[in-house]
Amino acid sequence: MNITETKEILKEISDTIIENKEYLTELDSAIGDGDHGFNMAKGFKFVKESLEDDFDDYKSLFMMVSQKLISKVGGASGPLYGTFFMKFAMKLNGVDNLDRNSFNEAFKDGVEGVKMRGKAKVGDKTMIDVLEPVSIALNEGKDFSQVLEIAKEKLDYTKEIKANKGRASYIGERSIGHIDPGAMSSYLMLKKVFE
């Protein structure tokens, strides 16, 4: 996948997040402070605008995404997604062809960065419930349709568990029955990558 194709996917991801602003806000209103959709849409609006610029390599492209999300997205989402894209970018330093292997390794580093930053693990009802199983599936060599199935299954699972992290953890048992908004925004992005 070349830089032009990668920018196109990032543009589609940005559009998807912006289009789903109300839905993500609705999910977050049920168990959080209701700003996830607004914040994410705002951040990806800036990402989309910056995709008009030229980028010499993958690292500078993904560092731009990281910086926009960290500086423009409020709440926990900005630092967490920003960290994902920062670690992803750093792993691609010197990579001139984003093949499956490079992508898998960068994705794994991105997920590890989010785990360190947010101190979350699988089962805490966060974006990690989707991202980590996807990373494992990628590195096991599963094809993209299988990876996306796993992502959907893990997304749905967040509805059944109690939140142990973030604002949603304040309502404890009442968080059961609701999909985690961070897991949903992660899933929406992954769909654009793997479909």
Side-chain angles (χ1 to χ4, degrees):
M1 189 162 46
N2 63 35
I3 296 267
T4 306
E5 291 166 331
T6 305
K7 283 171 74 173
E8 195 53 41
I9 289 173
L10 285 169
K11 183 176 175 295
E12 288 178 17
I13 285 172
S14 301
D15 286 339
T16 297
I17 295 298
I18 293 164
E19 284 160 18
N20 283 278
K21 178 172 87 168
E22 301 300 332
Y23 177 51
L24 291 171
T25 294
E26 195 182 301
L27 291 178
D28 197 32
S29 296
I31 60 172
D33 47 15
D35 63 356
H36 185 66
F38 173 80
N39 286 338
M40 291 292 286
K42 180 181 164 194
F44 274 99
K45 183 174 152 297
F46 284 102
V47 169
K48 188 179 173 182
E49 286 168 7
S50 296
L51 288 170
E52 301 303 320
D53 299 342
D54 291 324
F55 297 91
D56 295 331
D57 53 27
Y58 295 106
K59 184 183 178 187
S60 60
L61 173 60
F62 286 106
M63 282 305 275
M64 175 279 288
V65 177
S66 168
Q67 286 157 2
K68 293 297 175 194
L69 297 180
I70 288 171
S71 65
K72 304 296 183 184
V73 179
S77 304
L80 291 171
Y81 278 114
T83 298
F84 175 88
F85 283 107
M86 184 192 301
K87 295 290 188 184
F88 191 95
M90 287 161 66
K91 192 68 175 183
L92 297 178
N93 190 26
V95 172
D96 54 12
N97 176 31
L98 187 53
D99 59 13
R100 171 75 192 254
N101 195 47
S102 304
F103 179 86
N104 291 0
E105 288 185 13
F107 195 94
K108 185 177 180 185
D109 272 24
V111 173
E112 290 305 314
V114 174
K115 284 169 66 181
M116 272 176 29
R117 183 87 193 231
K119 308 283 188 281
K121 61 185 186 303
V122 168
D124 282 340
K125 196 183 183 98
T126 70
M127 60 206 283
I128 289 298
D129 286 298
V130 169
L131 293 177
E132 187 162 49
V134 162
S135 179
I136 291 167
L138 285 170
N139 283 284
E140 284 175 348
K142 290 187 166 55
D143 66 47
F144 287 164
S145 63
Q146 290 174 300
V147 172
L148 202 52
E149 273 177 37
I150 288 166
K152 179 70 169 79
E153 182 187 305
K154 300 304 180 183
L155 168 69
D156 292 341
Y157 177 63
T158 67
K159 193 172 185 176
E160 300 169 26
I161 56 178
K162 178 170 77 83
N164 296 319
K165 288 284 172 189
R167 187 63 64 95
S169 66
Y170 300 171
I171 63 169
E173 297 291 332
R174 285 184 294 127
S175 65
I176 296 171
H178 299 280
I179 286 173
D180 178 70
M184 177 55 82
S185 55
S186 295
Y187 176 71
L188 291 171
M189 291 186 220
L190 292 168
K191 264 187 92 170
K192 287 295 160 193
V193 177
F194 298 136
E195 267 185 342

